Amino acid sequence: MAILLPLVGALVCFLWPRRSVPLGLVTAIGVATCVAGLGWQVVVLGTQRYAVGGWGAPLGIDLYADGLSLLMLMVTAGVGLGISAYSTGYFERKSSALFWPLWLFLWAALNALFLSADIFNLYVTLELLGLAAVALVALAGGADALTSAMRYLLVSLLGSLFYLLGVALLYHSFGSVDIAILAQRMEPSPTVWAAVGLMSAGLLLKTALFPLHFWLPPAHASAPAPVSALLSALVVKASFYILLRLWLEVFPLGNVAFGQLLGLLGAAAVLWGGIQALRQTRLKLLIAYSTVAQLGYFFLAFPLETGTAWKGSLYLLLSHALAKAAMFMAAGNIMRFGEHDRIADLDRVAHRLPLTVTAFALAGISIIGLPPSGGFIGKWLLLDAALRAGQWWWVVILILGGLLAAAYIFKVIGYAFTQAGVLHETRAVSTIMELVALALALGAILLGLCAPWPLALMEIGLPFGRESAG
């Protein structure tokens, strides 16, 4: 139902565009309820495997839920509810009629991706996700949005092509695309390494890991605020999730050099993205480059390869989803209020939109990695894993990345309290838009206060191996 319901909701919103808002909201609540029901099953009964239509692997389609996929579904539901509520105040009727079918279709693709148990269905869902995301980027209209959407489309198709070639090589070698069967039959060979290279390259391109991040800032900065939020909070995480699944289950071949390479690229992303964010003069571009930097942290777990490091990476992913959605929504509120996002002209916006600036500041605490936020828990786990492994240079990256994040967050906060040289026209901002941004930012902070519960969920099905149980 977590896949079927948003799909039906998208179709209904498409057929009745005038009622798309109430229909979309009901669907969003229904999807979140379904995810909660699945969560209860996974917590009480353990991992769940479901053969669609009664035809299981290797001929049919299997859906699989463990602690890792459940947490991805839950953060998608939480951010999805926020985006749904925020969009009711953001979009006018004409744009709303286009937004809801695409958004619910994208939500269905995300849920299907997180539940897929074979590498071909992961490709199909990734492709559907990319097409819906491209259409949403173009929703803003104008030359910048269309150019960004076209660039995003080409990158998405190229990444999918690399991934599909890798799938074909694995199917030719092992006769199956089921992840569990591949894990049993996997043996190192030139064909397997070619598949690893192709699939990883395609997924890194879609995840926008440095230096393949060139498409992300313009796409995220030019899209409407709710779309920027879902792209940064959810869409780029989908390809990282696939890479994580493949690395943990299909390709556990112990290639230290490849793990170190991913770690180095992640470190470069942390530093490059942080410096670029600090240099930006527009708020949405600053947040987009911050996403480039934050994505880099996820890859610091690959050279460490311990349960603690994987948990730290996943915890950062969850907290970043909530915090970055809140930041883009806060930026949308500021753009709606002043009709621009020039940082130097924020003109004491903290006095006029206190809830919005509070949301931005709370989300910033998690992005910097300060206690008691979810970002702090994730960075602490990574730091602990790096020290235990004797790889202290990753600790230096974590500290430098935090300092850069603090610099660009406080730059925005400072201008929010400063009077601009030129006065600007202002518009009213919907209360629901401010409250949703604040709620998601508080979620990123609360994630740090309730750390034992998500960490316990990560143990279900041992997605990070038995080492993580200790």
Side-chain angles (χ1 to χ4, degrees):
M1 287 301 290
I3 301 171
L4 191 60
L5 187 58
L7 207 57
V8 172
L11 180 62
V12 171
C13 288
F14 176 74
L15 294 175
W16 285 279
R18 289 180 178 275
R19 298 185 180 276
S20 60
V21 173
L23 290 171
L25 284 175
V26 169
T27 304
I29 293 169
V31 175
T33 306
C34 290
V35 170
L38 177 61
W40 178 83
Q41 279 186 303
V42 172
V43 170
V44 174
L45 305 174
T47 58
Q48 299 289 303
R49 184 175 284 272
Y50 175 71
V52 177
W55 290 79
L59 297 177
I61 297 173
D62 273 358
L63 300 178
Y64 177 74
D66 62 0
L68 175 57
S69 52
L70 176 61
L71 281 168
M72 297 302 294
L73 288 169
M74 290 176 71
V75 77
T76 301
V79 174
L81 277 176
I83 289 172
S84 299
Y86 184 88
S87 65
T88 60
Y90 185 87
F91 287 114
E92 296 177 353
R93 175 174 292 183
K94 184 179 178 182
S95 300
S96 183
L98 295 172
F99 169 78
W100 279 102
L102 290 170
W103 157 228
L104 292 175
F105 184 75
L106 186 146
W107 197 345
L110 272 173
N111 285 355
L113 187 148
F114 294 138
L115 290 170
S116 291
D118 72 67
I119 56 176
F120 183 73
N121 281 323
L122 285 171
Y123 161 75
V124 173
T125 53
L126 193 62
E127 198 68 1
L128 296 175
L129 178 70
L131 292 174
V134 167
L136 284 166
V137 169
L139 198 60
D144 288 345
L146 292 176
T147 302
S148 299
M150 284 302 298
R151 188 186 294 119
Y152 187 15
L153 176 63
L154 293 174
V155 165
S156 181
L157 291 176
L158 185 61
S160 297
L161 178 62
F162 283 151
Y163 180 83
L164 185 59
L165 288 172
V167 172
L169 286 175
L170 289 182
Y171 183 71
H172 181 265
S173 297
F174 302 107
S176 177
V177 291
D178 183 76
I179 288 176
I181 294 175
L182 285 173
Q184 293 172 355
R185 299 177 181 174
M186 188 61 59
E187 292 180 359
S189 70
T191 304
V192 168
W193 286 117
V196 171
L198 286 166
M199 296 170 83
S200 299
L203 294 170
L204 293 180
L205 186 61
K206 283 175 170 283
T207 308
L209 179 64
F210 178 90
L212 305 174
H213 65 285
F214 58 92
W215 59 270
L216 186 146
H220 289 203
S222 61
V227 177
S228 301
L230 71 90
L231 290 176
S232 188
L234 303 176
V235 173
V236 291
K237 310 295 194 311
S239 44
F240 176 78
Y241 169 83
I242 297 176
L243 188 65
L244 196 57
R245 277 282 184 208
L246 294 178
W247 188 273
L248 293 170
E249 298 182 30
V250 181
F251 301 139
L253 303 175
N255 191 306
V256 176
F258 194 30
Q260 290 289 336
L261 174 63
L262 290 178
L264 285 173
L265 292 176
V270 170
L271 300 179
W272 177 258
I275 292 170
Q276 291 302 313
L278 192 56
R279 295 181 61 222
Q280 298 308 307
T281 56
R282 284 185 52 209
L283 182 56
K284 287 191 74 177
L285 268 175
L286 181 149
I287 301 171
Y289 274 106
S290 166
T291 297
V292 173
Q294 297 295 313
L295 288 171
Y297 287 112
F298 306 163
F299 289 87
L300 298 186
F302 285 84
L304 299 171
E305 283 200 289
T306 64
T308 303
W310 294 124
K311 287 180 179 178
S313 176
L314 182 57
Y315 221 94
L316 276 176
L317 185 153
L318 300 174
S319 58
H320 177 260
L322 294 167
K324 198 47 67 75
M327 273 193 166
F328 269 117
M329 289 178 182
N333 295 347
I334 290 171
M335 287 190 71
R336 174 64 58 89
F337 177 74
E339 298 186 343
H340 70 86
D341 68 339
R342 295 185 298 278
I343 297 170
D345 293 331
L346 289 181
D347 193 21
R348 295 182 301 172
V349 72
H351 301 292
R352 302 168 183 181
L353 297 176
L355 293 179
T356 291
V357 176
T358 302
F360 186 90
L362 290 174
I365 287 174
S366 186
I367 293 295
I368 296 169
L370 296 176
S373 67
F376 168 75
I377 299 295
K379 288 187 178 180
W380 180 263
L381 291 172
L382 278 176
L383 187 146
D384 182 55
L387 289 176
R388 287 175 184 273
Q391 301 183 32
W392 55 267
W393 46 93
W394 306 122
V395 176
V396 176
I397 297 298
L398 285 165
I399 294 172
L400 289 177
L403 291 174
L404 284 169
Y408 62 72
I409 295 292
F410 282 112
K411 172 184 170 183
V412 176
I413 300 291
Y415 278 111
F417 284 92
T418 306
Q419 184 171 4
V422 181
L423 296 178
H424 301 278
E425 295 290 332
T426 59
R427 288 197 299 168
V429 176
S430 164
T431 304
I432 187 73
M433 290 165 60
E434 290 205 86
L435 290 176
V436 170
L438 183 61
L440 289 174
L442 285 171
I445 300 297
L446 289 174
L447 200 57
L449 298 174
C450 64
W453 188 66
L455 290 173
L457 284 183
M458 291 180 196
E459 296 287 353
I460 298 175
L462 295 174
F464 304 129
R466 293 192 178 280
E467 181 191 29
S468 63

